[in-house]
């Protein structure tokens, strides 16, 4: 598939939007790491926030306190979540299992 031809203005708008999305995701991950927000609240916010909805579940889990790459992979395998899954693509059972996994955090 060929990339669309964009004007300089369209390209600048796209770059600015991407910067805002990265900033939003970074802020949410920082808040999760600090324990200021819960995973459940982030999952609920993702229903309305496009930046969070398109975030990879792996990145979300790794942002939890005490969870690194290996533990995140183990959790996702145990819960039956694909490594490429995005937050929007989580099924209801996966969402409930993920919330239960981090209920005490």
């Amino acid at each position: 598939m060929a990339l669309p031809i964009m004007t300089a203005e369209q390209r600048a708008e796209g770059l600015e939007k991407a910067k805002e999305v990265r900033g939003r995701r970074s802020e949410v991950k920082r808040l999760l790491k600090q324990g200021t927000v819960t995973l459940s609240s982030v999952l609920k916010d993702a229903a309305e926030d496009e930046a969070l909805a398109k975030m990879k579940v792996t990145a979300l889990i790794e942002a939890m306190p005490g969870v690194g790459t290996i533990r995140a992979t183990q959790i996702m395998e145990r819960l039956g979540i694909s490594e490429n899954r995005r937050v929007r693509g989580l099924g209801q059972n996966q969402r409930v299992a993920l919330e239960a996994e981090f209920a005490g955090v």
Side-chain angles (χ1 to χ4, degrees):
M1 182 169 121
L3 294 175
I5 306 294
M6 298 173 69
T7 65
E9 184 178 303
Q10 290 172 326
R11 181 168 163 71
E13 287 175 10
L15 290 172
E16 184 61 33
K17 182 178 178 185
K19 181 180 172 185
E20 290 172 9
V21 167
R22 285 192 307 271
R24 172 73 173 128
R25 289 179 186 161
S26 175
E27 177 69 13
V28 167
K29 290 193 286 188
R30 184 182 64 77
L31 293 172
L32 277 170
K33 188 65 84 177
Q34 292 176 345
T36 309
V37 297
T38 63
L39 183 66
S40 294
S41 66
V42 172
L43 292 174
K44 288 175 187 164
D45 290 345
E48 298 152 8
D49 189 337
E50 194 70 19
L52 297 180
K54 290 185 178 181
M55 183 178 193
K56 286 200 172 193
V57 176
T58 305
L60 191 65
I61 294 174
E62 288 176 8
M64 296 301 293
V67 178
T69 306
I70 294 172
R71 185 159 176 235
T73 302
Q74 292 170 345
I75 290 168
M76 290 182 62
E77 285 176 4
R78 188 174 65 247
L79 300 179
I81 301 173
S82 170
E83 64 183 37
N84 296 322
R85 179 73 57 209
R86 302 214 180 247
V87 173
R88 174 179 283 150
L90 285 172
Q92 184 61 32
N93 292 339
Q94 292 173 329
R95 186 178 304 268
V96 169
L98 199 55
E99 288 177 1
E101 181 77 24
F102 294 102
V105 179

